[in-house]
Structure formats: C-alpha cells, structure tokens
C-alpha cells in the first residue's frame, strides 16, 4: 500500500450560512441568527444562532424553540457551489491543484505550497491570509498524512489566534486515536456527511459503538482480517482511515473555462442605452467563449453594481438560447425595471451563464426551421423592439377569482415564482375557488347586473348564506333574461383578519331562457357577471 500523501485541507465552518451572506442582490446579514435547513434538520447555523443553543442536526421545531427569532432558509446546493467557486479560484491563484470535496471544504497536496512558501504551516497561513483579504474569517487549515487526517486536523484547529493545525509526518495514528468513531460518519472525505452519511457507513459506526468500540484508536487496534470478515471492504477502508493510512491522493480539479464577462465603466454611466452600447463587445465575447466549448446559454445571470454599491442580480431565461443581441437586450431591460434598486450610475456589469446546454441541441434543422422556430424568431424580434413585457403568453395560476388565475408571462420567461411556480400555485389549497370545468370566457371587468325574484324584489344573501328569494330574472343594461335554472350560493371569504382588505362574496351559476350559462357573484347588495360558459 502506498504511503499517505501530505495533504493540506481548508475547512470553512458553516459554509451554507456564509454563502447566504455573500450571494445574491440582497445578501443576509451575518450577524443575524440564521439556520440552513435540509430534510427538516439544521444543516448549518450562524454564530449568533449557535449562541442561542441552535446546533447542527436539530429539528426545525427544536431550533425555533431555542431561538424564536431564527431566520430559517432552505438548503440550496447550487447557491453553495456558486458562492464557493470564486473562493476556489482565489486559492488556485496562490496554490494550484485544489480538490473541491464539497462547498466549504477543499484539499491540496502540501508539498508544492510548502516548498514555495517555506513550510507547511507557513503555506497554510498564506492561504488563510488570502482568504481573510476576501472577507472570509474563521477558516481553519489542517496539514497531515492523507486527506482524512488533514480534515480532522483542520476541525481541531479551534484556536482563533492560530487556526492552523499540523500533524507531524508519521503521527497520524497517534493524533486520530482519541477521536470518536463518529468522525468516520461525519467526514466528507470519508464518504459521507453528518446529515447524509455514505451508504452503510452510519450502520457500521453504530455497530462499532454497540460493540464497545468508541474511539478510532480502538478501531485501529482490531485485526484487519477480522474487520474484513465482519464489515467487508468498506470496513477495511475506514479501518485504514482510523489507523492513519489514508493512501488516497488529492485529485485536483480541472479549472472550468472563464465563461463570464465583466465590464467596468469609468465614470459610471447613467443612461441605459450607453450601458447597452458598452456591453456589445462583451456580449459577443461571452457568446464566442461559450461556442468555443460547444455550449449555448439558456439561462443568463446579469449583475449590475451601482456607483454607490447598489446591486441588481437577476436570472433571465430564453425559449431557445441566447445570442449577443439577446444578452444586450436583457441588460437594457433589467436597467429599465430596476430603477428603484439602482439610484446611481452603473459602475460594473457582470454577465455569466446560469444554465448551459450542448450546442448540438440547438443546431438548425437541415431543411430549415420549422413553424415553431419561425414563431420564436418573430416574437423575439417584436419583444426586442417593444421591451421585456411587450410580448406575453397566457398561463393558468392559482387563486379564488378567475381573473387572478390569468397570469401573463413575458415571452421566454418562466413564472417569477420559480421553474414550477404556476404549477405550485395551482396545487395549493384555495378554499372557495371554482372547481372544474371553469368558464371559457372571463370578463376583464365584471359586468354589473340585477337579480330579482318574481315579485320584483332584489335577491341577496344573508350572513348565513341563505338566499332571500328564488332568483327569477337577470337584468343587464336594458335587457332582461328569465332564469330557468340556478345553483348556489358558494361562499368566498378572504382576509377575515384584515378589516381594510376583507372580502365576503357568494357565487351562483345560472342558466337563462336562451340556454346561456353565467357565473354570477353577489357581494353585499350588488351582483356582477364574472364569466360565461360558452
């Protein structure tokens, strides 16, 4: 078995919380009590939340009981990776050959940086200083034989004055011996995490505890043949970790191509057309860079930074793929829609691909574009002339009122509530909403009508939902229609807790003497036609 490689591990405690404070147009304040939840368990928490008693692995209910003001945020792996990518790039600028284990944990071969910076501890301190200049405090570094031992050394470097822990060569077994076997389950370099251990790893650790094996030293003392017989090859691998014989090499990542483009304006520009003109060359280079690696951009992230530090961050979608002119259009549209967010001149514009696809999937057909492609090009050209919301497509959302369910989405966009936002809105419970089938014609402005009984008195509905008389006549303008059949009322009660916005109404379905079906709404002593069944 090859001897373990000296490894340097950098550990960023509670990285999901750090990512929240560094990502997006409105990052969270790091001083707030924050908990990132995964599977209803605390995956990471901020220092202020920890001071209130919040801990990793706690259930959400228990964490909120300990800290009532806790800011709960769902876990987002994409956000963690996005925020960690520039950090890794910064590390690679001073020590190439970084292996990203997960966001917040990376490993390097220690030999190269140690020879360049004059020692292993010195190299670790240089990298920590670089990260500190980037606003990342509290990072820990560990150097040891093998990545697993180096990770445990980094987590043992709890002294703020010297966040570097170096385990001498050959001393891995002695350093690991007093540690609990639970670190095998929690270690990412061991194949799992505290909330998502590797397959069978948690069972093995639990079995060791039941057998009375509490420390890594006790596990390392077990004969390898007996470990293989009882636990198989996975057990042998963890036995090597516990013995300080982690022979796995650090596997450096291949740095991804620089696909983003950034343009700085000096002096900052006030006019949207000036910014759009200044982005033309960057947009061409952005599309050309994607084409060089046979990719196209299907989701574009545009970040605008004002002269006073204001930020506007938005992801734009496209029904096909972006070209240079479409990129410039999105920058111009975002400037037009973010007038309140950007109150000073634009100093920096950054464009980056949020999602890409193989260019082969977007190659025009041999015999020319089909009808759908021609429609797309026509609508895109019209949208470029009229603006982002100049071309919209209808979609069905959620709500109690039919007019609320009509959602107009700009061409090429998905609903602002997320990729499946409209479907999620429809699936929510909407007490009082109209069941299927819904009317085919919904009036943009409800038509006022009168509903009367045979004696001519106006029909209304009391607080208990009882109709004052049998509806017999429907009058709209100067036209009167006899009601042959009717059904209802079905109540709609909204915002009973808000006196200013509370609303209480009743729906009726009626069929007149001509066979036309109508959906009526009675609210107070007034009636309107909401829709018709064609």
């Amino acid at each position: 078995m090859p001897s373990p490689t000296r490894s340097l591990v950098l550990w960023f405690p509670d990285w999901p919380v750090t990512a929240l404070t560094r990502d997006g147009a409105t990052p969270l304040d790091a001083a707030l009590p924050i908990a990132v939840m995964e599977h209803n368990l605390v995956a990471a928490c901020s220092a202020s939340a920890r001071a209130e008693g919040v801990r990793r692995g706690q259930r959400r209910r228990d964490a909120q009981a300990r800290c009532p003001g806790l800011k709960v945020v769902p876990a987002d792996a994409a956000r963690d990776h996005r925020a960690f990518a520039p950090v890794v790039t910064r590390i690679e600028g001073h020590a190439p050959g970084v292996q990203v284990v997960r966001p917040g944990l990376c490993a390097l071969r220690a030999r190269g940086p140690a020879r360049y910076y004059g020692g292993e501890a010195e190299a670790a301190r240089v990298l920590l200083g670089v990260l500190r200049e980037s606003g990342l405090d509290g990072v820990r570094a560990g150097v040891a034989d093998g990545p697993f031992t180096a990770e445990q050394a980094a987590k043992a470097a709890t002294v703020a004055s010297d966040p570097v822990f170096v385990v001498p060569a050959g001393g891995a077994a002695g350093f690991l011996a007093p540690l609990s076997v639970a670190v095998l389950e929690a270690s990412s370099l061991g194949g799992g995490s505290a909330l998502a251990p590797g397959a069978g790893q948690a069972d093995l650790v639990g079995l060791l505890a039941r057998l009375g094996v509490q420390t890594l030293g006790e596990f390392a003392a077990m004969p390898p043949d007996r470990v293989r017989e009882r636990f198989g090859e996975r057990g042998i691998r963890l036995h090597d970790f516990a013995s300080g014989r982690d022979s796995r090499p650090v596997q450096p990542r291949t740095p991804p191509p620089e696909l983003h483009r950034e343009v700085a304006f000096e002096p900052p520009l006030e006019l949207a057309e000036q910014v759009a003109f200044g982005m033309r060359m960057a947009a061409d280079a952005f599309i050309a860079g994607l084409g060089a690696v046979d990719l196209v951009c299907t989701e574009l992230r545009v970040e605008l930074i004002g002269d006073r530090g204001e930020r506007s961050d938005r992801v734009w979608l496209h029904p096909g793929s972006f070209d240079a002119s479409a990129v410039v259009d999105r920058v111009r549209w975002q400037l037009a829609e973010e007038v309140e967010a950007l109150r000073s001149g634009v100093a920096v514009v950054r464009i980056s691909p949020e999602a890409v696809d193989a260019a082969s999937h977007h190659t025009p057909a041999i015999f020319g574009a089909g009808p759908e492609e021609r429609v797309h090009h026509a609508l895109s050209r019209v949208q470029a002339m009229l603006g982002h919301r100049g071309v919209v497509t209808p979609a069905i959302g959620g709500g109690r009122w039919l007019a609320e369910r009509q959602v107009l989405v700009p061409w090429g966009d998905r609903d602002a509530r997320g990729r499946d936002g409209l479907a999620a809105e429809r699936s929510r419970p909407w007490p009082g909403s109209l069941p299927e089938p819904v009317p085919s014609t919904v009036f943009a402005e409800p038509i006022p009508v009168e509903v009367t009984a045979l004696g001519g008195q106006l029909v209304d509905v009391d607080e208990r939902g009882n109709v004052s008389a049998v509806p017999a006549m429907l009058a709209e303008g100067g036209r009167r229609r006899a009601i042959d059949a009717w059904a209802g009322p079905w109540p709609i009660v909204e915002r009973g807790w808000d006196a200013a916005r509370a609303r209480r109404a009743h729906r009726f379905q009626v069929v007149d003497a001509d066979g036309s079906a109508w959906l009526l709404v009675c609210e107070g002593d007034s009636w309107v036609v909401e829709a018709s069944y064609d």
Side-chain angles (χ1 to χ4, degrees), residues 198-262:
Q201 200 157 297
D203 295 339
L204 187 150
V205 172
L207 180 56
L208 288 175
R210 290 194 297 273
L211 292 175
V213 179
Q214 303 294 333
T215 65
L216 295 182
E218 294 171 350
F219 185 33
M222 297 176 65
D225 293 340
R226 297 296 300 275
V227 173
R228 178 179 284 105
E229 177 184 342
R230 181 65 181 84
F231 302 113
E233 292 304 317
R234 176 176 289 277
I236 282 294
R237 188 186 71 165
L238 296 181
H239 186 266
D240 290 341
F241 291 167
S243 305
R245 298 192 298 268
D246 180 8
S247 59
R248 297 170 303 160
V250 174
Q251 299 176 341
R253 71 164 188 163
T254 300
E258 293 291 337
L259 299 178
H260 74 276
R261 292 294 184 273
E262 185 175 295

Side-chain angles (χ1 to χ4, degrees), residues 25-221:
T26 55
L28 294 179
D29 185 355
L32 294 174
I34 304 170
V36 177
M37 309 298 297
E38 185 174 10
H39 305 303
N40 207 38
L41 300 175
V42 177
C45 58
S46 62
S48 56
R50 194 176 296 109
E52 296 289 337
V54 179
R55 296 291 182 270
R56 291 186 64 194
Q58 276 183 342
R59 293 185 180 276
R60 174 173 180 162
R61 179 174 53 189
D62 297 335
Q64 290 177 321
R66 292 179 178 271
C67 181
L70 187 67
K71 175 72 173 177
V72 176
V73 181
D76 185 346
R79 177 184 62 221
D80 297 344
H81 280 280
R82 184 170 60 247
F84 197 55
V87 176
V88 176
T89 302
R90 187 73 186 269
I91 296 172
E92 288 174 332
H94 295 78
V98 179
Q99 175 186 353
V100 179
V101 182
R102 58 170 171 78
L105 186 70
C106 58
L108 307 87
R109 297 188 184 99
R111 180 180 178 183
R115 294 178 65 180
Y116 186 82
Y117 293 110
E120 295 173 339
E122 288 73 12
R125 292 191 180 94
V126 168
L127 295 181
L128 293 181
V130 169
L131 296 172
R132 199 174 296 113
E133 292 174 0
S134 301
L136 291 166
D137 296 321
V139 184
R140 304 288 186 260
V143 184
D145 295 338
F148 173 77
T149 308
E151 179 189 3
Q152 306 313 314
K155 293 180 178 179
T158 57
V159 180
S161 59
D162 189 13
V164 178
F165 195 109
V166 178
V167 179
F175 166 73
L176 293 172
L179 300 183
S180 169
V181 292
V183 301
L184 294 172
E185 178 183 348
S187 170
S188 296
L189 288 163
S193 68
L195 298 180
Q201 200 157 297
D203 295 339
L204 187 150
V205 172
L207 180 56
L208 288 175
R210 290 194 297 273
L211 292 175
V213 179
Q214 303 294 333
T215 65
L216 295 182
E218 294 171 350
F219 185 33

Side-chain angles (χ1 to χ4, degrees), residues 25 300-304 312-316 333-334 337-338 388-389 410 413 416:
L300 173 73
R301 179 178 290 273
V302 177
E303 299 175 69
L304 307 174
S312 170
D313 189 343
R314 179 167 176 176
V315 175
W316 294 90
W333 295 345
Q334 186 164 332
E337 296 183 8
E338 298 288 342
H388 179 224
R389 300 187 180 277
D413 275 14

